[in-house]
């Protein structure tokens, strides 16, 4: 409560309206980009459908121009033993007349030399557009790796930009990139160009995700902070339906990107309707500009901010804050939090990708293996709001992560012939990890200080992408047990480190690094309560069996010594006594 009283901006925003029409409109503006993000992430599934290719043997039309496609293939393509046409070889062209070819037949074969035809194809995909067959096959894994690589680099670049130049310019730059690379993909002339534009598109998508998340959480106070992020991410699920409609309706892959990117033109209006974050403006010393955006928001909410209260607004700290990514190392408390979060995010990304790949291994249609869990994600994500309200941030995230990873572990002991059971476990695991992803994003945006919020979100997104890529590489190029082993070890370590993460429910925003200690004080306060319990006289404790009472007495003697040792070792060390104190720790 003391920290809340010091947060003058929080008071102003309460007067302005915690979640009025202005904040609701701000959150609603994220719905469309979230829906469109699905299309760009999973577009490869619909533009690279499997196509049956045969060698182009149009040379025979010079001697038999009236031949049908079936007759042409029958005369010019060799067959397998089962009677089907070979897809990558053709008979060597000859200069005979048609009657001689029909009478004597052709015997000598060669690889396709004049391109390919796709007589059974009803749609145009990148496969038959660029002839990605017969040794030049399109690799979904390569395309996904390229997209994840874009997420890796884009998370760092746009995280840095978002903290240096602001949320508003970063969102506009991301939207411009989505328009350019989205429309540009529909005009590529080679597969290399296609992969390049997908790489650029992933940059823009992750830039928008990071900046919009930071902007939303900095305009909303109280319990609505996490709600707004989880609600906006829930619309990600509706994007699957939009993608299915485009993918199965449009006959040409280029049209998927044209019609999928067209709604993005609405995002141009963000130039006039999107505000800058008042918290970011304050930490950068732009007090007057922060007052203007607050007054504009209050007018939208039909509220009036008292001028004396507005005049108390000042830079949070003794001077304008200039922070960098190096502060994640130099600030001991922030270093602990970001290291644990990076490790947990890696585990979430690895486990989620592993379950996705296991779903595909059952021989399901590749589109269905993504679409079925995707359409069920909205209720799973919305469950995160209820969990946050009843169990707090910390233990809700731990429970969702444990359930998802436990399903991944349990699958290894189920016989492969019980396909229905396996599919059900995979689906439950995917939905649990989906819930955890939304909750982790909300928590990450809450706990990070304003001055480094976008950079921190970029780092955890990078860790998530690394986990995805690690799972993809290991399952593709190594025995299955290697990926499973890494997943189990990372899960155990992540759940073991959860006690180090502070609870953020009902705590105020942190704007600068000097204020980040509120989480440490909140954590140590709960630990002191734990110590006090252990040191109670025996008559004040609940009646316990003899061995348990002796254990509590020994812990009560040891805990103060451990805290004293920790203080002597210095601020840069991990809290040695927190593991013992966390046994009695309750969520805020």
């Amino acid at each position: 409560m003391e920290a809340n009283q010091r947060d003058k901006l929080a008071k102003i925003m309460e007067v302005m309206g915690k979640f009025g029409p202005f904040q609701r409109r701000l959150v609603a503006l994220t719905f469309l980009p979230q829906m469109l993000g699905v299309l760009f992430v999973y577009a490869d599934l619909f533009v690279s459908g499997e196509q049956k290719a045969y060698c182009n043997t149009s040379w025979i039309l010079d001697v038999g121009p009236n031949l049908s496609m079936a007759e042409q293939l029958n005369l010019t393509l060799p067959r397998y033993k089962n009677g089907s046409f070979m897809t990558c070889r053709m008979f060597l062209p000859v200069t005979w007349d048609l009657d001689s070819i029909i009478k004597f037949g052709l015997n000598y074969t060669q690889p396709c030399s004049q391109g390919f035809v796709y007589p059974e194809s009803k749609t145009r995909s990148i496969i038959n557009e660029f002839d990605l067959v017969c040794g030049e096959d399109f690799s979904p894994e390569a395309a996904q790796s390229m997209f994840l690589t874009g997420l890796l680099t884009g998370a760092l670049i746009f995280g840095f930009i978002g903290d240096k130049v602001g949320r508003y310019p970063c969102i506009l730059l991301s939207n411009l990139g989505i328009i350019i690379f989205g429309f540009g993909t529909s005009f590529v002339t080679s597969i290399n160009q296609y992969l390049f534009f997908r790489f650029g598109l992933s940059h823009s998508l992750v830039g928008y995700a990071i900046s919009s998340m930071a902007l939303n959480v900095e305009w909303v106070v109280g319990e609505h902070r996490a709600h707004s992020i989880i609600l906006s991410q829930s619309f990600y699920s509706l994007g699957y339906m939009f993608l299915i409609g485009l993918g199965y309706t449009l006959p040409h892959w280029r049209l998927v990107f044209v019609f999928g990117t067209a709604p993005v033109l609405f995002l141009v209006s963000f130039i006039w309707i999107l505000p800058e974050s008042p918290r970011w403006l304050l930490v950068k010393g732009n007090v007057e500009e922060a007052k203007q955006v607050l007054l504009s928001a209050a007018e939208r909410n039909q509220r009036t901010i008292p001028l004396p209260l507005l005049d108390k607004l000042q830079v949070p700290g003794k001077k304008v804050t200039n922070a960098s990514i190096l502060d994640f190392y130099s600030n001991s408390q922030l270093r602990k939090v970001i290291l644990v979060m990076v490790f947990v995010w890696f585990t979430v990304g690895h486990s989620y990708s592993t379950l996705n790949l296991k779903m595909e291994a059952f021989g399901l249609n590749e589109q269905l293996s993504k679409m079925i869990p995707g359409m069920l994600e909205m209720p799973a994500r919305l469950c995160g709001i209820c969990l946050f309200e009843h169990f707090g941030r910390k233990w809700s995230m731990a429970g969702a992560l444990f359930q998802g990873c436990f399903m991944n572990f349990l699958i290894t002991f189920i016989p492969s012939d019980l396909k229905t059971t396996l599919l059900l476990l995979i689906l439950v695991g995917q939905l649990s990890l989906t819930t955890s992803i939304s909750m982790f994003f909300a928590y990450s945006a809450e706990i990070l200080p304003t001055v480094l919020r976008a950079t921190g979100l970029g780092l955890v997104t990078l860790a998530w992408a690394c986990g995805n890529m690690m799972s993809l590489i290991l399952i593709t190029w190594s025995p299955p047990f290697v990926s499973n082993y890494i997943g189990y070890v990372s899960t155990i370590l992540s759940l073991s480190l959860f006690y180090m993460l502070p609870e953020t429910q009902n705590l105020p925003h942190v704007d600068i690094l000097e204020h980040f200690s509120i989480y440490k004080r909140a954590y140590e306060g709960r630990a002191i309560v734990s110590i006090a319990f252990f040191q109670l006289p025996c008559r004040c404790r609940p009646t316990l069996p003899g061995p348990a009472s002796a254990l509590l007495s020994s812990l009560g003697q040891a805990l103060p010594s451990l805290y004293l040792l920790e203080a002597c070792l210095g601020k840069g060390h991990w809290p040695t006594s927190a593991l013992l104190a966390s046994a009695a720790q309750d969520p805020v």
Side-chain angles (χ1 to χ4, degrees):
M1 294 299 295
E2 181 183 352
N4 257 324
Q5 293 172 2
R6 291 198 304 267
D7 192 349
K8 299 181 178 62
L9 181 57
K11 287 184 179 179
I12 293 175
M13 297 187 78
E14 287 181 4
V15 172
M16 180 188 71
K18 287 185 177 181
F19 201 65
F22 175 83
Q23 288 95 333
R24 290 196 293 268
R25 185 190 69 172
L26 185 63
V27 174
L29 288 175
T30 65
F31 293 166
L32 178 62
Q34 290 287 355
M35 291 174 58
L36 297 178
V38 179
L39 183 144
F40 297 125
V41 172
Y42 294 110
D44 292 331
L45 300 178
F46 289 90
V47 302
S48 61
E50 187 175 349
Q51 305 283 340
K52 205 163 194 178
Y54 300 103
C55 297
N56 180 8
T57 56
S58 56
W59 60 268
I60 199 173
L61 296 179
D62 293 337
V63 295
N66 296 323
L67 290 174
S68 66
M69 177 60 71
E71 293 171 331
Q72 177 183 333
L73 297 180
N74 187 52
L75 293 173
T76 58
L77 294 183
R79 294 177 181 268
Y80 292 108
K81 292 181 179 180
N82 61 6
S84 61
F85 291 117
M86 291 186 179
T87 55
C88 298
R89 296 194 70 82
M90 59 183 284
F91 285 121
L92 188 68
V94 296
T95 57
W96 303 348
D97 58 68
L98 182 59
D99 292 335
S100 299
I101 293 175
I102 295 174
K103 182 177 180 179
F104 299 106
L106 303 177
N107 296 314
Y108 298 102
T109 63
Q110 67 173 29
C112 301
S113 59
Q114 300 176 359
F116 300 88
V117 294
Y118 305 83
E120 301 174 11
S121 176
K122 297 181 180 179
T123 59
R124 192 72 169 167
S125 71
I126 61 173
I127 302 299
N128 52 30
E129 181 88 11
F130 304 127
D131 289 336
L132 303 178
V133 292
C134 298
E136 300 291 336
D137 296 0
F138 176 76
S139 173
E141 290 78 14
Q144 188 176 357
S145 297
M146 181 64 72
F147 196 85
L148 289 173
T149 303
L151 290 181
L152 289 174
T153 55
L156 289 177
I157 294 172
F158 279 96
F160 174 80
I161 294 175
D163 283 331
K164 288 299 180 183
V165 303
R167 316 324 187 195
Y168 173 75
C170 192
I171 289 176
L172 296 185
L173 182 61
S174 301
N175 289 342
L176 178 62
I178 293 173
I179 293 173
I180 292 174
F181 290 106
F183 277 119
T185 305
S186 60
F187 296 99
V188 299
T189 58
S190 69
I191 186 60
N192 290 331
Q193 291 180 12
Y194 175 83
L195 293 176
F196 171 76
F197 273 81
R198 295 286 289 156
F199 176 81
L201 188 57
S202 62
H203 268 75
S204 303
L205 290 173
V206 72
Y208 176 83
I210 290 172
S211 303
S212 63
M213 204 177 306
L215 183 65
N216 277 352
V217 80
E218 288 164 7
W219 267 108
V220 180
V221 294
E223 69 277 7
H224 300 292
R225 293 181 305 190
H227 297 178
S228 62
I229 293 178
I230 295 176
L231 181 62
S232 66
Q233 290 197 346
S234 297
F235 278 78
Y236 196 80
S237 304
L238 296 180
Y240 287 102
M241 304 177 191
F242 180 57
L243 177 58
I244 290 173
L246 289 181
Y248 284 109
T249 303
L250 299 177
H252 202 295
W253 72 271
R254 296 183 188 273
L255 294 178
V256 173
F257 283 99
V258 171
F259 283 94
T261 311
V264 180
L265 295 176
F266 165 76
L267 303 185
V268 175
S269 63
F270 281 15
I271 298 175
W272 300 281
I273 63 178
L274 204 65
E276 182 55 273
S277 164
R279 291 187 177 276
W280 182 85
L281 290 171
L282 284 177
V283 298
K284 293 300 179 182
N286 301 324
V287 179
E288 293 304 317
E289 191 174 348
K291 291 180 180 179
Q292 291 300 318
V293 296
L294 288 170
L295 289 172
S296 176
E299 182 180 358
R300 178 76 179 180
N301 287 345
Q302 298 181 350
R303 298 287 187 92
T304 301
I305 301 176
L307 289 180
L309 182 60
L310 197 63
D311 290 337
K312 294 180 181 179
L313 204 61
Q314 58 187 3
V315 177
K318 297 180 180 179
K319 60 181 180 179
V320 177
T321 303
N322 292 314
S324 71
I325 194 172
L326 297 178
D327 289 305
F328 284 106
Y329 174 77
S330 59
N331 186 293
S332 61
Q333 184 67 15
L334 186 60
R335 181 174 67 245
K336 297 176 196 176
V337 170
I338 199 65
L339 284 176
V340 175
M341 287 171 60
V342 163
F343 204 93
V344 171
W345 270 106
F346 174 88
T347 302
V348 173
H350 183 277
S351 300
Y352 188 78
S353 178
T354 300
L355 287 174
N356 281 339
L357 293 171
K358 286 181 178 179
M359 176 76 84
E360 295 175 10
F362 280 98
L364 290 177
N365 180 281
E366 195 172 8
Q367 288 92 344
L368 289 177
S369 67
K370 293 289 192 303
M371 297 304 114
I372 292 176
M375 289 187 290
L376 297 175
E377 282 184 3
M378 176 172 276
R381 292 179 188 273
L382 292 176
C383 282
I385 296 178
C386 300
L387 292 173
F388 269 9
E389 288 298 314
H390 289 87
F391 303 104
R393 273 57 164 160
K394 185 173 177 179
W395 302 117
S396 297
M397 295 186 299
L401 177 61
F402 172 77
Q403 180 171 310
C405 294
F406 181 71
M407 293 299 108
N408 194 11
F409 172 74
L410 193 61
I411 289 167
T412 58
F413 299 99
I414 303 298
S416 58
D417 55 334
L418 298 176
K419 291 189 175 181
T420 303
T421 303
L422 287 171
L423 288 174
L424 181 61
L425 292 176
I426 291 174
L427 188 59
V428 172
Q430 286 178 319
L431 296 180
S432 299
L433 290 175
T434 296
T435 305
S436 71
I437 288 172
S438 292
M439 292 192 293
F440 278 127
F441 266 125
Y443 177 82
S444 301
E446 279 188 331
I447 194 173
L448 292 167
T450 300
V451 70
L452 284 174
R453 182 166 283 121
T455 304
L457 288 172
L459 288 175
V460 297
T461 304
L462 183 147
W464 178 83
C466 284
N468 269 270
M469 190 173 292
M470 177 71 73
S471 172
L472 182 65
I473 292 172
L474 291 177
I475 290 181
T476 304
W477 301 104
S478 67
F481 73 87
V482 177
S483 179
N484 290 335
Y485 178 77
I486 292 178
Y488 303 152
V489 172
S490 64
T491 299
I492 293 171
L493 291 178
S494 296
L495 292 172
S496 301
L497 294 173
F498 245 98
Y499 76 91
M500 290 176 145
L501 292 177
E503 178 61 68
T504 59
Q505 189 175 17
N506 300 327
L507 289 182
H509 273 290
V510 173
D511 290 322
I512 59 177
L513 298 176
E514 288 79 1
H515 294 171
F516 198 76
S517 58
I518 66 168
Y519 295 124
K520 182 178 181 181
R521 289 197 298 272
Y523 176 85
E524 290 178 346
R526 290 189 292 269
I528 291 172
V529 171
S530 302
I531 297 173
F533 172 78
F534 287 129
Q535 291 182 322
L536 283 175
C538 293
R539 65 180 179 276
C540 298
R541 292 191 199 138
T543 303
L544 296 172
S549 180
L551 174 62
L552 287 178
S553 299
S554 62
L555 287 174
Q557 296 174 0
L559 278 171
S561 302
L562 289 171
Y563 271 101
L564 181 61
L565 177 62
E566 178 183 323
C568 295
L569 287 175
K571 298 181 179 180
H573 293 273
W574 297 87
T576 55
S577 54
L579 179 60
L580 298 173
S582 65
Q585 178 179 329
D586 294 322
V588 173

